Amino acid sequence: TSEGGSEPVAAQAAGSGPTFKELVVTTEDNITTIMLNRPTKKNAITTEMYNEIVAALDQAAKDSSVLTVITGAGDFYCSGNDLTNFTKIPEGGIEELAKKSGDLLRNYIKAYIDFPKPLVAVVNGPAVGVSVTVMALFDLVYATDRATFHTPFSKLGQSPEGCSSYTFPKIMGASKASEMLLFNKKLTAAQACDQGLVTEVFPDASFQTEVWSRLKAYAQLPPNSLALSKQLIRAAERERLYAVNDAEVERLVERWLSDECMAAIMGFFQGKSKL
Amino acid sequence: TSEGGSEPVAAQAAGSGPTFKELVVTTEDNITTIMLNRPTKKNAITTEMYNEIVAALDQAAKDSSVLTVITGAGDFYCSGNDLTNFTKIPEGGIEELAKKSGDLLRNYIKAYIDFPKPLVAVVNGPAVGVSVTVMALFDLVYATDRATFHTPFSKLGQSPEGCSSYTFPKIMGASKASEMLLFNKKLTAAQACDQGLVTEVFPDASFQTEVWSRLKAYAQLPPNSLALSKQLIRAAERERLYAVNDAEVERLVERWLSDECMAAIMGFFQGKSKL
Amino acid sequence: TSEGGSEPVAAQAAGSGPTFKELVVTTEDNITTIMLNRPTKKNAITTEMYNEIVAALDQAAKDSSVLTVITGAGDFYCSGNDLTNFTKIPEGGIEELAKKSGDLLRNYIKAYIDFPKPLVAVVNGPAVGVSVTVMALFDLVYATDRATFHTPFSKLGQSPEGCSSYTFPKIMGASKASEMLLFNKKLTAAQACDQGLVTEVFPDASFQTEVWSRLKAYAQLPPNSLALSKQLIRAAERERLYAVNDAEVERLVERWLSDECMAAIMGFFQGKSKL
């Protein structure tokens, strides 16, 4: 089952929905779980996985489950955008690559903004980049005490996404948000909890047991009440989040074509820089 | 006096204003105190009390006091909406009841949004439901360490009100706000303070003494400066709060007519469900 | 150098920019430092200093530095607005003085809202009034454990400025923001950090060493990525901040002409009142 610990598990068909190459999607006890399943690559998100996650969220929105969970297979939650995505240059050149990557990202973030049911992150290990920024769009974020939260945008010559340029200052104040988003500060799970990004931290030994027994209880609550309450909370911010997503993607497309970003990514692949 | 501890006290006429059946309203030392006075019912708010509190706030807005305090008689602060309000079905049936209850609630919350002077909650014990959600519309919230903060909306098939769908995520971040508003997490006073809902927590033994001596000092500050500063803070959010209040009430009126909500309230009265 | 501790230092010419009477402005290691240099007056801000700080920020925005730091000479960070500013009454009388003071303040706050690079407060001691409120417009706020944070507006019959009527409730919730902005609560550095106003607190003995070594490392990050990321964060709030600044200044101009304010400032100069 999806609760079973850190090993990737065989995919179970989830009704008549699409099947996935890099995800394991299961539904049990009123909970649909989307598990990122590239543990040997720390669950880094490839171009294909972005599309698969969007499809899995779309499917979960329509199925009969009450809660939807995102988690990672293995010891990592997610290492963020797979930088090899930037090495597959299409015929249109890097301008085309940047534009397409921007469209992909905008669409990916929009799937989180628009998700109509309670969405839960079960953060089973370190999280990096876009997997951290979107956490502010979840309704619950449970983390093992082994988890860390790292958004090294400027080290890669990039800029914040996932609506974090708006949500992080809103949650933790500008002075702490900037330390993460501009200056690459890596937070421990306890720090991320103190600063409002994480709902609660659990000891790693009991993490899966405690979290899933709690989620199973939550999944027995009146489903419409949960979904409509979540939508009410989101409604107060939805238009703002769309606008922020657009602004962030626009800036990031420019950044991807900048000398700073190209040099930083080149350095990363040449092993010259460490995140 | 209103500072005298946990016993309900005889009402003192507060100038030429209205008299109240379920409230004790007093003015002393530049402070108008509105005490919910239904201690045998844990100060649950009846339809009549909603209207009385609106009238008392209106009166306090116009009197010469500098601060206005809301507190509860007895060991409870307030157990929220009195669910027997839902059992008094008018001729127009439950649709009529839901519509009228919505109008009552919208008007009640509007009284908090529009209150023109500093408003202080002296939380003398556990608080539930709408008495918790409106706390984010107060200027100071002092709590005894016996207080708890509980908003079990989804257990009753309902949805958040009091502008909490906007204010709670703003104050504590979405991941902690949803645990309260969607998943019924009950906070201790210390947790509510950590998450920004409460200004400060005091030991129960010294709570009344410490809080009232502080408030008496505050009530000596320049009154116009206090009122105008409070209005300045509120002005930045007023239109947003009106819109959120409207959206929340609209959703709640739908919820009250839903099968989920009716079943949950029925279960409550049949002793089948516990909050 | 600007890192050298608590003694005011000789001004170094910073390129071809303006020279300053009450500031020491230096650029070193990609960091432009604006040091308030009136230590015998606890770095209280005179009318001239407001204009000098605006000019220094304007110059720093255009120079080649990556980070800009504001700090204070001596043991104080800044004691806020120099109240002797109110004693220099022009020919047009106090109405003219209030109007001009309002224009000065609006322009001063706008310089913070519009600053295009990461802005860092190195809070080397106690901070009062407008030097505290603008901290919510910085990207990083590092404080010695000797620092305190105090905004005694109502004691002086005044009202909040620096966009704090919006930023403080956003960062720390209304119930804690009001205790500072309405009721003059002075925060310790640790409290200001808990409430999100301060990024991190350091022991006084190692404060300068730790902070400056960290800032020098940050100043090596890709400059455009930093500036554009900061602008992205600000863009989400810029129009709102302009509107709040205008509303606050308008209210404050009224306040300065009020009996409450005049009596409070008179009392201050007669030694009758203490902040």
Side-chain angles (χ1 to χ4, degrees), chain A residues 144-146 202-210:
Chain A
T144 166
D145 56 12
R146 272 199 317 103
F202 299 84
D204 195 56
S206 57
F207 176 61
Q208 297 286 347
T209 315
E210 290 194 56

Side-chain angles (χ1 to χ4, degrees), chain C residues 212-227:
Chain C
W212 287 100
S213 74
R214 192 178 303 187
L215 292 179
K216 282 177 194 173
Y218 287 171
Q220 302 304 315
L221 289 164
N224 294 332
S225 184
L226 289 183

